[in-house]
Amino acid sequence: MTETIRALQEKMEAAVRALDFEEAKRCRDRINLLRGGATEVDAETADMSGLARQKPGAMGLGTNHQRRTPPPGWTPPPKPDPMTKGRSAPRGPRRK
């Protein structure tokens, strides 16, 4: 089986050099099927036309959370003035 995978890899690389990306994709999919445990006959006859690769981050932690949308008419509160951050108003006579 390793000879078959090696031959498919060479065929895939030749297809990429020839800019035939569809053939390279078919070779890549057959290699993945063979590595996954399929027989050569199953990998040859498998119909991969309806399958799509998963988008990056679709299964990662925290990457597929839905975005929250604010209710209609909501406006964000004004941002605090950075010049007064952490200061409080004077409370009484100053000590010396």
Side-chain angles (χ1 to χ4, degrees):
M1 184 174 323
T2 57
E3 293 297 323
T4 306
I5 291 176
R6 191 172 300 128
L8 281 171
Q9 285 174 338
E10 291 172 3
K11 186 176 177 183
M12 179 177 63
E13 290 169 3
V16 168
R17 283 192 296 274
L19 301 178
D20 186 5
F21 299 113
E22 292 297 320
E23 179 64 27
K25 180 185 92 151
R26 283 189 286 275
C27 291
R28 179 203 64 206
D29 293 340
R30 285 178 55 199
I31 290 170
N32 287 337
L33 284 173
L34 289 171
R35 286 182 177 163
T39 63
E40 291 181 38
V41 175
D42 291 339
E44 184 73 35
T45 60
D47 180 22
M48 306 290 274
S49 61
L51 299 179
R53 292 183 70 91
Q54 200 171 37
K55 292 194 176 9
M59 294 290 290
L61 294 174
T63 57
N64 59 351
H65 288 269
Q66 294 180 353
R67 277 203 164 168
R68 294 186 179 115
T69 55
W74 181 82
T75 56
K79 293 188 176 182
D81 184 11
M83 297 302 289
T84 60
K85 183 177 179 184
R87 295 184 184 176
S88 59
R91 296 185 184 167
R94 294 185 107 176
R95 295 181 193 167
K96 292 187 179 184

